[in-house]
Structure formats: structure tokens, C-alpha cells
Amino acid sequence: MTASPLPPDWSDRSAFDLAHAWHPFTQMQEAMATPPAPVIGAEGSDLLLADGSRILDGISSWWTCLHGHGHPKLVTAAERQMSSLDHVMFAGFTHEPALELIARLKPRLPANLTRCFFSDNGSTAVEVALKMAFQCQLQRGQKGRLRFGALRGGYHGDTLGAVGVGELDNWFTGLFRPLLLACDRLEVPEDPRRELNADLSQWPAQLDAARAEVRRFFQRHGEHLAAFIAEPLIQCAGGMRMWPPELLQEIRTQCDAHGVLLILDEVATGFGRTGTFLALEHAGIQPDLLCLSKGLTGGTLPLSLTWTTEAIYECFLGDWASGRAFLHGHSYTANPTACAVANASLALFDEEPVIARSQALSATLSTVFGRLASHPAVRRARVLGAIGACQFVDPATGEPHPVEARVGWRLHRQALTHGLLLRPMGDCLYLLPPLSTPPARIEAAGEVIMELLEGL
Ligand SMILES: Cc1ncc(COP(=O)(O)O)c(C=O)c1O
């Protein structure tokens, strides 16, 4: 092996990073003062830093890691596959890891989803679903369906199509508005049953009102929508907003009534995060298109899938000149190594009690967030599966901190010095650890959070 072109020690490497690398979701001017932490390894639920410290990966490295870092079965699967077939284009060729992945996953999905399209990340899984839905409607003669429906405050990725159906803070979506898809948005309330200590007395009436709002939305917009997209049960990047399965059922009913295709984006919620294999199981419904990524490879390699139905697939059949084919693809579509690791990860769902671990973590998170709920700086502590979240406020006023105070960012930095990776989103502080994390580690993380809240 040739010598590394990098300077030998990490202080110089950090300077090199700041001189040349451009990090995601980062104000690089701020990074000058607080350079990215060098990670030299990862083991189980921990990241190993260059200074010799270990930090608990409390957010599963952007919600990807399922079985812990460096699971030997995933590592072996990658090594084996790389040494036999590293990569081949998926147009005109096929291979065993991709077919095995379809065969392993299909029995775990709603029975109507029989067709699988491969791409590389959550955003492209969403782009594929949007394009497929739009083209399908056109090819069915539905030429007036030029818009999409989506939930208020949703997030579906960073490519322009995905940004168009998402709606985060104005600086995120608003900036690109002139370039985005036409989208109508439906607001759904949060589900108070997920909150620890919520008052549920008004809930039945609120739920009825929310159902009526769903119906009104589809009466108003339904005939112009190609598809409606939602993150089932929890809007993650939108601030861990947990919303009711009954409204997802109503959206399904209304999509059917108005000829709108339903896309469920399970990029973040899939693979056990919500205590079931898929979040849609809480609502018992079947989507027309389903997007999967993140946990698909156990959180190791980029890969994503867009599943759809036979009826949609058939809209694309015809001779070449008909122009009905789905002309979309990526260089690394169905990368064999990523597929092999995804297969090893799915095998672990049979070999290890992955879902039971998620449910046990849920119980621990309920205890931890139940304790946090008593802190004067905490509001609306809530849990869904292995995701715990709360809002933090100024304990003196009970109001949110001003954005300029960068309290979430400060919590993130302080937590690192206590061996914990947190990454609050606005006023939302959450834990979303690898499903294999021992409950005692979550208890300890709760103690750290309590201590940090004292310092707010
Ligand atoms: C629900 C959802 N959809 C799509 C994406 C985009 O995935 P990626 O970052 O892999 O493009 C994310 C990422 O957080 C997500 O949470």
C-alpha cells in the first residue's frame, strides 16, 4: 500500500478537513470554531474518537444503524460479496444478492407490493416513487393530476423532487420554492396517546375533527393529485411528530375514493424502529408505493428500494416505441455488495430478537422520558417504538429558546463531552439508538440529558 497523503496527526488533519471538506447540514463558518470530531472506529452502539473517547451513538448515525456498528455478519457479507462480484450495472443484468433481497423482504411487506425498484438513498427512493406515480397516472389517461399531496412539516430528502413534497423550516424548503413540484399540504395533529402523562379527555372529538379535515382536503384537492406521500406514524425530521394511525387509515380511504396513489415513506421508520417491522403495520393498511432505505443495510451501505403493485407496474408495459418504460436509473443501482449486506441484516431479524429488542428499548425510553418529563425545561415527552423525544424550553419562562441562542447546538456539543451523541432538531431533543443498545446505556444517557438540562 502506498503511504497516506494525509498529515500524520489529527490536529493537522482537522485543518485539512476545514480547508477542503464541505459537511452536510453544517454552517461551515461555525465549523471553523468547532471542527468535526474525528472518528476512527465504531463498535456496537459506540463511536470511537481519535482522542481515545467513546460516545454512544444516540441517533444511530442519522437513523441508520440497527444492529450496532461492525456486526460481524454484516462485515463478512460485505467482504465475501466484494471478492466475488463487486458491481455490475443492473440494466440488462441481474445477480443473486438483488434477487435474494427481494425474496427475503417480500414476505415482510404488505401482500400487494410485488415489484421492487432499486436505487441508492432515501431521497432517490422518494424521487422514484414520485416519478412512477406521476407517469402511471399519465399512462392511465389521468392528465390533470399534476400535483402531489403531502403532510405539513414532512421531510422526504434533499433532492429537488423530495424537497418539493417536504416542508421543513422556510430556509430549507422556502429557498427553493421556484424550482419545486406543485404540492398541497394536509395538517395532521400529533397523537397525544404517545405522550407520557397527556390529558386524553378531548381526544375523541379532536380525532373526529382531524378525520373530517382529511376528507375535506381530498374533496378540495383529490382530483388534481397524482399521489399523496406521508411518513407513517412519525414525521421524524419534522421534529419527531407522532401522529395517529387512524388518520393514516382515513388517508388511505380517501386516496382510494379520489383515484390518488398513496406513497408511504418508511425510509426512517422501517426495520423495527417503531416496534413493528414497518410503521404501516400500526395502521394495517397497504400503500401503492413504499420507500425503504437507511436500516435496509443495517446502517452500513447506501441502498434503497421503491416497492409497488402489479397494477402500477403493468401501466409501464408496452413495446419500446410506446414510450411507456420507466426511464430512471443510477450507476450503482442494486449494488451487489450493498444487497449482500442487506440480506445479512434481514437474516438477523430471524436469527436475533431484533423486534423484541426494539420493544424492550421502547419500555426503557418510556421510563427515561417519563423522568425527563418532570423537568421544568421539558415539555411533551413522548415515545413511539425505539424513538423517544421531548421539547425543551426555557425553564424560567416555559417558552422556546430564541433560535439565535443555538441551545440545541450547545446541547449537542456538551453531550459529546459526556460521551453521548445527541443532535436536537430545533427544540426537539430525541434518542433513536441502535436497536441492539443495552437498556442500561439508555438509562445512563437519560442521566446525562438530565444533567445537561440543569445547565440550560
Ligand atoms: C422520511 C425520510 N425520507 C427520506 C429521507 C432521505 O434519505 P437520504 O438522507 O438517505 O437521502 C430521510 C432522511 O432522513 C427521511 O427521514
Side-chain angles (χ1 to χ4, degrees):
M1 200 198 279
T2 53
S4 166
L6 290 176
D9 69 69
W10 266 106
S11 58
D12 293 336
R13 288 181 183 187
S14 286
F16 184 86
D17 177 292
L18 290 176
H20 301 290
W22 194 338
H23 291 265
F25 288 117
T26 301
Q27 173 45 263
M28 291 305 293
Q29 184 169 305
E30 210 167 48
M32 300 291 174
T34 48
V39 183
I40 56 166
E43 210 173 70
S45 298
D46 290 333
L47 302 173
L48 313 180
L49 302 193
D51 65 5
S53 60
R54 276 175 177 263
I55 54 174
L56 176 71
D57 189 354
I59 63 163
S60 299
S61 281
W62 267 343
W63 320 340
T64 56
C65 184
L66 284 187
H67 315 291
H69 292 279
H71 194 294
K73 292 204 169 153
L74 305 198
V75 173
T76 306
E79 284 171 352
R80 279 215 189 109
Q81 187 57 46
M82 277 295 280
S83 59
S84 61
L85 169 63
D86 51 0
H87 184 61
V88 60
M89 59 192 275
F90 204 57
F93 295 95
T94 192
H95 51 73
E96 189 173 329
L99 299 182
E100 184 183 329
L101 178 51
I102 293 172
R104 280 189 185 277
L105 203 45
K106 197 176 155 297
R108 293 183 176 275
L109 305 183
N112 67 326
L113 299 176
T114 52
R115 292 283 165 180
C116 176
F117 193 94
F118 290 78
S119 59
D120 319 334
N121 57 69
S123 306
T124 56
V126 168
E127 295 286 337
V128 166
L130 297 172
K131 287 176 71 179
M132 249 179 207
F134 183 76
Q135 188 173 342
C136 167
Q137 294 281 17
L138 279 185
Q139 291 175 182
R140 282 176 174 170
Q142 296 284 314
K143 298 202 170 22
R145 295 184 180 273
L146 303 178
R147 304 178 67 85
F148 289 90
L151 294 184
R152 274 214 170 284
Y155 176 75
H156 300 286
D158 293 344
T159 51
L160 282 176
V163 170
V165 289
E167 184 192 43
L168 288 193
D169 298 328
N170 213 27
W171 54 265
F172 187 85
T173 314
L175 183 67
F176 294 103
R177 187 151 294 133
L179 308 180
L180 302 181
L181 296 174
C183 185
D184 298 304
R185 295 177 204 281
L186 166 69
E187 180 145 8
V188 287
E190 292 192 54
D191 188 339
R193 292 165 297 186
R194 304 288 175 206
E195 255 182 62
L196 308 162
N197 319 320
D199 170 11
L200 298 179
S201 55
Q202 306 301 314
W203 178 239
Q206 286 166 351
L207 183 58
D208 278 348
R211 275 207 190 96
E213 186 54 38
V214 174
R215 290 194 286 270
R216 269 195 298 278
F217 173 88
F218 278 90
Q219 271 155 17
R220 206 174 303 138
H221 301 292
E223 65 177 312
H224 300 298
L225 301 182
F228 188 95
I229 183 166
E231 300 158 80
L233 273 290
I234 175 164
Q235 297 183 282
C236 291
M240 299 298 170
R241 288 188 86 249
M242 300 171 187
W243 62 286
E246 292 89 341
L247 296 183
L248 183 53
Q249 291 164 347
E250 188 65 49
I251 289 171
R252 174 70 277 182
T253 305
Q254 294 305 314
C255 280
D256 286 342
H258 292 270
V260 179
L261 298 172
L262 178 60
I263 303 171
L264 290 186
D265 175 354
E266 292 244 18
V267 166
T269 51
F271 305 99
R273 287 284 175 208
T274 68
T276 48
F277 186 73
L278 294 177
L280 60 79
E281 291 166 38
H282 294 261
I285 57 142
Q286 299 189 333
D288 300 300
L289 298 116
L290 174 71
C291 305
L292 299 173
S293 188
K294 290 194 187 272
L296 176 59
T297 58
T300 55
L301 286 169
L303 183 69
S304 61
L305 305 176
T306 306
W307 283 83
T308 192
T309 63
E310 217 52 24
I312 291 180
Y313 174 76
E314 281 169 6
C315 287
F316 290 79
L317 301 181
D319 54 31
W320 182 257
S322 71
R324 294 176 82 87
F326 187 55
L327 298 184
H328 183 111
H330 300 277
S331 313
Y332 288 105
T333 295
N335 173 258
T337 307
C339 291
V341 176
N343 287 325
S345 174
L346 285 171
L348 286 181
F349 278 82
D350 297 324
E351 294 159 13
E352 296 184 2
V354 180
I355 298 292
R357 280 183 193 142
S358 171
Q359 291 163 354
L361 266 188
S362 189
T364 309
L365 286 165
S366 296
T367 310
V368 165
F369 278 83
R371 268 186 222 130
L372 291 174
S374 63
H375 194 281
V378 169
R379 297 283 183 278
R380 294 184 25 244
R382 54 203 185 270
V383 172
L384 172 66
I387 308 172
C390 63
Q391 305 305 117
F392 54 88
V393 295
D394 181 342
T397 62
E399 296 296 320
H401 295 273
V403 177
E404 321 72 80
R406 302 284 280 131
V407 176
W409 171 248
R410 290 206 323 261
L411 276 176
H412 159 72
R413 299 297 305 177
Q414 287 164 8
L416 285 182
T417 66
H418 288 72
L420 174 61
L421 171 56
L422 294 177
R423 211 178 146 97
M425 297 179 295
D427 304 329
C428 173
L429 186 152
Y430 69 94
L431 284 173
L432 192 155
L435 301 182
S436 55
T437 307
R441 302 288 310 276
I442 301 303
E443 299 258 359
E447 305 280 307
V448 169
I449 294 172
M450 196 65 117
E451 200 181 320
L452 296 178
L453 291 174
E454 287 304 318
L456 270 189

